[in-house]
Amino acid sequence: MAGPGGGSSDVQWCFSQVKGAIDDDVAEADIISTVEFNHTGELLATGDKGGRVVIFQQEPESKNQPQCRGEYNVYSTFQSHEPEFDYLKSLEIEEKINKIRWLPQKNAAQFLLSTNDKTIKLWKISERDKRPEGYNLKEEDGRYRDPNTVTTLRVPIFRPMDLMVEASPRRVFANAHTYHINSIAVNSDYETYLSADDLRINLWHLEITDRSFNIVDIKPANMEELTEVITAAEFHPNQCNTFVYSSSKGTIRMCDMRASALCDKHAKMFEEPEDPNNRSFFSEIISSISDVKFSHSGRYMMTRDYLSVKIWDLNMETRPVETYQVHEYLRSKLCSLYENDCIFDKFECCWNGNDSVVMTGSYNNFFRMFDRGYRQDVTLEASRENSKPRSVLKPRKVSTGGKRKKDEISVDSLDFNKKILHTAWHPLDNIIAVATTNNLYIFQEKLN
Amino acid sequence: IMGCAFDAQNLISISLRKIQSSRTQRGGIKLHKNLLVTYVLRNARQFYMSKNLSQTQRTHPYEDVAAVRERQEYLELTGSFTELADDFYCNFTGAESDTWHCGAHQPHGQPAEVAHQDASACAMVAPSDSDLMVSEACWSCADKSSWELPIPNTQANQKTVLDLDTHVVTTVTNGYFHSDCCAQPKQPQGAQCYAKKRKMDTSYHIVDPEFYLPDFGPVPCKRMRSEDDSHSDSEQLDSTNISNLISVLGSGGLSEFVSWQQTDLEQIFAAQTICLKHTLLTGSGWTRAIEAF
């Protein structure tokens, strides 16, 4: 089925752009930690380990090249979070941006929430393309004139100026989390949002910074009884009373805020029993859910654990309706992946605009797409080698058996330092943003 | 990259190293990651224990003093281990020497002269940390009868706990919370030290508030939380209480490794000796565990 967000069976992906340094030597501050399109897809935000947010804006489609959707160029860059030191706890608080969430646009300005481990900030991004000129008491450079020299009066007027995009922090939501924040999610009421750390979830009002409601608290009375932590949380896309949170044990709990103020009792719990044949030393690690995302329709949700992507029907708690293996060939390598810490990598996942395809990242700068309708999957690579403009991406394959075919890559040759943890899909079109360690790749559907 | 000596011992060693290195990571200890690592520890230990069921004979959990001192030198060389020793807490129930004792609490049968704080042994404790010294004095004066004194295979778990949500310092004994651990009037600044908000001396590396490490000691039984606690089954240890490192590293788990002579277990030895050193310094029979959660 062709069309925006159509099946991957007939969609060919082309390289469009790559952002970031070409250097092989990656500065840690430049490591991309989150990627998010806004609700129209016109803006694409990235956050990095250095606490910076970079926003790209899509150029309007040019009439000259109707085949090509607009390019994304830098729109605004600002320092969202700085490193902090908590003297009471003798702790350094990283400035790394863990999540960015856009608010729907209500006026000329754009708003987004960005968070590090402890503090959430609401940023206003606004354009200024006019400036007032012709003040009576001020010179053009800002110096004040001596009132005695003013002999005539004039009315200041606005004159056009070069576009300036300003980012200003409008709200700072601080001191509500003892543990590390892993998620923020804006409610469909567009008034509230939640923030989740390892043990608690808080509900905020966007206008109110000095208090929040604690709606989930899984901290046990005796910490020795701790067996799981919260790993991700999200609001339902259109039911403003419903949210889900995933755990390190591989469960997802759905809560209804109408039931009680503290949603410790879940309305639904989604869990798939473990396959005893696959039991290993690392079973708990690989079942930990790293991301949970509702479908746009709100009927399904998707979870990502270390080896697979699962689609759940919200009406069925006992098992997922679909399971896609991302890189099953890693199952026999878990010990090595534990040693080099890769087993703790938190991969994200995303839906396309019409929920027919899901995407997630892997190693060696590979990323995977699963077409739910056609039951097909494809592995693509984000690399500078394939970065000729509009060059079509060739599907990649990892050889798992003994014989490696030409163009296949063996498991042992995979580069585990090149991981794609963050991907995002344009809400309407077949445009995807894929983050390697410090580069952002933008791919578009090949249009004829 | 994919080659790996895959066995339980190796995994335990690797896991301990991960926990150790996580303490120096920027941003504080990651609760999630460390929780997952303790799962691996538990699984590896379970596997190892099940493989070695025939070797259930309990040897003395700790080596003699001379061997400990030898390893002590090993530890001195690695600064990070010293720091780790500040953070890891464990019961001491085995051999000790009077140069190591810090803190007055003494086990049964110990000569009285070890009841004083030995300044040299306490060198790792930042002397400017007056709060901590006060706390130690409190503990040292605690009524012995209120403690389970350390003999092998008994439990004596005492922790000072800083709850970072409420900023209240309390003591936990065997899972119980005491609102005032040092109620006896003879103690200097008894309950006060626990009631007031704790000043944090940044020169002293108190355990990261996000990460909770319970004591571990060489006790095979689960700590009894209450007489009628239904979780008295020691098997409960190995099922879901993964954060209870007693079940993983204590209960004879790590101590059994002491008897191994393999050199590639140096890491495990070092990790265990850290515990030894710390408890030797803090006195036998109780833990100076400052956990913040």
Side-chain angles (χ1 to χ4, degrees):
Chain A
M1 203 184 307
S8 62
S9 59
D10 50 4
V11 170
Q12 285 191 303
W13 292 94
C14 309
F15 170 83
S16 173
Q17 297 169 273
V18 60
K19 307 285 187 190
I22 303 177
D23 249 353
D24 271 340
D25 202 15
V26 179
E28 188 163 335
D30 293 337
I31 294 174
I32 297 171
S33 50
T34 186
V35 181
E36 188 83 358
F37 278 101
N38 76 336
H39 293 265
T40 61
E42 184 206 355
L43 297 175
L44 176 60
T46 63
D48 65 24
K49 261 193 139 183
R52 271 184 319 250
V53 171
V54 180
I55 302 176
F56 302 92
Q57 183 188 43
Q58 190 180 29
E59 298 301 320
E61 283 179 30
S62 79
K63 295 188 176 62
N64 300 337
Q65 281 190 311
Q67 326 295 11
C68 205
R69 294 198 182 92
E71 280 199 340
Y72 285 84
N73 296 317
V74 176
Y75 179 65
S76 173
T77 304
F78 57 93
Q79 188 74 29
S80 171
H81 287 71
E82 299 274 4
E84 287 172 55
F85 195 81
D86 182 333
Y87 293 97
L88 180 67
K89 300 169 195 175
S90 202
L91 262 195
E92 193 180 2
I93 299 167
E94 274 192 285
E95 66 276 29
K96 172 168 74 90
I97 308 295
N98 293 333
K99 276 292 183 314
I100 289 173
R101 289 285 183 258
W102 289 94
L103 266 54
Q105 191 172 11
K106 282 198 269 195
N107 51 38
Q110 301 278 357
F111 289 86
L112 61 79
L113 288 168
S114 69
T115 185
N116 68 349
D117 283 341
K118 297 286 182 185
T119 304
I120 307 127
K121 295 187 184 179
L122 176 70
W123 288 89
K124 175 181 177 183
I125 297 106
S126 48
E127 292 183 1
R128 191 194 293 267
D129 59 359
K130 294 183 269 292
R131 74 161 167 249
E133 285 179 15
Y135 283 105
N136 293 292
L137 295 174
K138 271 198 297 191
E139 304 285 2
E140 293 307 326
D141 60 7
R143 278 180 303 141
Y144 280 97
R145 293 170 68 186
D146 180 356
N148 297 326
T149 63
V150 177
T151 53
T152 61
L153 288 178
R154 55 187 175 168
V155 178
I157 55 172
F158 275 102
R159 285 202 191 281
M161 59 178 259
D162 288 339
L163 177 67
M164 202 164 72
V165 181
E166 301 169 324
S168 59
R170 304 302 288 181
R171 306 270 187 276
V172 177
F173 305 91
N175 302 320
H177 286 278
T178 308
Y179 301 92
H180 293 119
I181 296 174
N182 51 59
S183 308
I184 47 174
V186 183
N187 203 347
S188 51
D189 64 9
Y190 300 147
E191 284 188 350
T192 57
Y193 75 95
L194 62 77
S195 57
D197 67 30
D198 291 320
L199 298 179
R200 298 190 177 105
I201 301 178
N202 293 332
L203 181 72
W204 302 83
H205 191 285
L206 284 164
E207 299 292 328
I208 299 170
T209 58
D210 62 354
R211 67 200 112 108
S212 64
F213 287 103
N214 175 243
I215 53 177
V216 172
D217 188 341
I218 66 167
K219 180 179 161 186
N222 184 354
M223 277 293 271
E224 290 193 58
E225 292 168 357
L226 181 73
T227 57
E228 63 183 328
V229 297
I230 297 168
T231 53
E234 219 197 12
F235 266 117
H236 191 276
N238 39 57
Q239 292 169 16
C240 58
N241 53 284
T242 304
F243 66 93
V244 294
Y245 67 93
S246 60
S247 85
S248 54
K249 272 192 163 174
T251 62
I252 309 100
R253 288 172 177 82
M254 173 180 285
C255 300
D256 186 336
M257 293 196 290
R258 298 169 300 187
S260 69
L262 187 62
C263 300
D264 276 355
K265 288 202 185 73
H266 51 265
K268 293 191 184 184
M269 177 145 110
F270 300 82
E271 186 176 16
E272 181 176 32
E274 189 197 341
D275 179 0
N277 297 328
N278 278 335
R279 179 90 200 137
S280 77
F281 286 98
F282 311 103
S283 291
E284 287 82 3
I285 300 186
I286 62 171
S287 65
S288 176
I289 292 174
S290 52
D291 195 15
V292 63
K293 290 266 174 39
F294 278 104
S295 64
H296 293 91
S297 63
R299 167 121 191 252
Y300 298 96
M301 68 178 173
M302 163 167 56
T303 57
R304 175 70 154 99
D305 51 66
Y306 189 64
L307 295 179
S308 68
V309 161
K310 294 179 180 174
I311 313 281
W312 303 79
D313 185 323
L314 296 189
N315 298 316
M316 188 163 79
E317 300 166 61
T318 50
R319 58 182 167 79
V321 290
E322 294 152 39
T323 301
Y324 301 104
Q325 301 301 334
V326 181
H327 35 221
E328 180 69 13
Y329 47 78
L330 296 183
R331 193 181 286 276
S332 56
K333 314 286 182 191
L334 293 179
C335 183
S336 306
L337 294 165
Y338 178 70
E339 271 188 276
N340 63 19
D341 267 3
C342 284
I343 206 174
F344 301 105
D345 288 333
K346 293 184 185 168
F347 291 95
E348 293 174 6
C349 52
C350 60
W351 298 84
N352 73 340
N354 64 6
D355 301 334
S356 60
V357 185
V358 297
M359 171 168 66
T360 188
S362 178
Y363 294 104
N364 209 68
N365 281 348
F366 287 170
F367 57 100
R368 303 260 283 138
M369 288 184 188
F370 301 95
D371 188 317
R372 304 174 60 213
Y374 288 99
R375 293 287 164 162
Q376 291 177 353
D377 61 84
V378 68
T379 304
L380 301 171
E381 182 180 359
S383 78
R384 295 253 174 194
E385 281 89 47
N386 310 328
S387 49
K388 287 204 196 70
R390 289 191 289 283
S391 62
V392 174
L393 293 183
K394 207 172 79 160
R396 305 302 310 258
K397 190 132 168 53
V398 176
S399 81
T400 50
K403 261 195 143 187
R404 185 175 72 87
K405 296 196 191 109
K406 184 175 172 251
D407 286 348
E408 283 186 359
I409 179 165
S410 73
V411 179
D412 296 321
S413 312
L414 294 174
D415 187 341
F416 289 86
N417 292 318
K418 292 185 179 168
K419 51 192 87 172
I420 290 176
L421 304 175
H422 311 287
T423 59
W425 205 308
H426 191 287
L428 304 166
D429 295 333
N430 271 349
I431 303 173
I432 55 175
V434 171
T436 59
T437 307
N438 65 332
N439 284 168
L440 183 72
Y441 286 79
I442 299 172
F443 301 106
Q444 293 188 5
E445 180 184 18
K446 182 168 167 24
L447 299 170
N448 295 318
Chain B
I1 176 183
M2 283 308 165
C4 146
F6 183 52
D7 55 30
Q9 301 170 13
N10 197 32
L11 271 184
I12 289 174
S13 160
I14 292 167
S15 303
L16 288 174
R17 242 184 287 142
K18 284 188 195 299
I19 292 179
Q20 175 209 337
S21 65
S22 79
R23 307 191 94 68
T24 53
Q25 267 168 13
R26 248 191 110 213
I29 291 178
K30 307 281 184 276
L31 185 62
H32 182 199
K33 181 177 176 185
N34 281 276
L35 192 74
L36 296 177
V37 169
T38 51
Y39 269 118
V40 175
L41 272 171
R42 180 204 66 170
N43 293 340
R45 180 182 169 273
Q46 276 178 342
F47 178 79
Y48 178 75
M49 298 294 280
S50 65
K51 264 180 58 181
N52 295 280
L53 276 175
S54 58
Q55 299 171 17
T56 50
Q57 179 188 0
R58 300 287 314 277
T59 54
H60 194 281
Y62 295 93
E63 299 183 12
D64 61 33
V65 172
V68 168
R69 282 211 186 112
E70 243 178 81
R71 293 219 184 79
Q72 184 51 48
E73 276 147 28
Y74 171 89
L75 282 177
E76 297 290 0
L77 297 171
T78 54
S80 59
F81 277 83
T82 305
E83 191 184 339
L84 186 63
D86 284 340
D87 295 337
F88 273 109
Y89 313 99
C90 51
N91 282 318
F92 173 70
T93 64
E96 71 286 341
S97 86
D98 51 9
T99 59
W100 294 119
H101 267 289
C102 190
H105 194 67
Q106 22 184 333
H108 276 313
Q110 280 292 313
E113 56 263 26
V114 301
H116 62 276
Q117 288 196 7
D118 185 294
S120 61
C122 290
M124 0 189 272
V125 178
S128 58
D129 194 307
S130 52
D131 270 354
L132 272 161
M133 297 317 244
V134 167
S135 310
E136 280 195 82
C138 291
W139 290 317
S140 69
C141 300
D143 186 348
K144 271 192 222 169
S145 61
S146 70
W147 302 68
E148 291 214 353
L149 296 177
I151 53 179
N153 301 333
T154 59
Q155 331 167 28
N157 300 312
Q158 183 90 15
K159 288 190 281 278
T160 295
V161 173
L162 168 66
D163 188 323
L164 279 162
D165 290 323
T166 61
H167 298 299
V168 168
V169 180
T170 52
T171 349
V172 183
T173 304
N174 287 355
Y176 280 109
F177 280 89
H178 298 275
S179 55
D180 51 349
C181 71
C182 298
Q184 292 95 337
K186 63 180 173 177
Q187 280 150 55
Q189 303 179 30
Q192 253 61 36
C193 67
Y194 294 94
K196 71 181 178 211
K197 211 171 192 175
R198 187 177 191 83
K199 285 202 306 284
M200 286 291 176
D201 181 3
T202 56
S203 66
Y204 180 79
H205 292 278
I206 297 176
V207 71
D208 185 280
E210 267 83 6
F211 186 53
Y212 165 87
L213 271 185
D215 312 326
F216 43 94
V219 288
C221 310
K222 179 174 167 57
R223 297 137 40 113
M224 305 304 278
R225 299 198 59 218
S226 71
E227 249 108 73
D228 41 281
D229 197 295
S230 55
H231 296 160
S232 54
D233 189 352
S234 64
E235 275 153 22
Q236 194 90 28
L237 265 183
D238 295 336
S239 56
T240 54
N241 268 352
I242 53 89
S243 65
N244 185 347
L245 276 178
I246 287 180
S247 72
V248 176
L249 297 169
S251 315
L254 260 201
S255 61
E256 283 159 26
F257 299 153
V258 174
S259 60
W260 299 341
Q261 299 305 312
Q262 295 137 7
T263 52
D264 61 352
L265 291 170
E266 201 172 53
Q267 292 283 350
I268 301 175
F269 287 146
Q272 183 167 21
T273 327
I274 292 163
C275 316
L276 277 176
K277 176 184 176 182
H278 186 81
T279 43
L280 288 171
L281 285 172
T282 58
S284 55
W286 50 272
T287 61
R288 190 190 62 193
I290 300 164
E291 304 166 30
F293 61 83

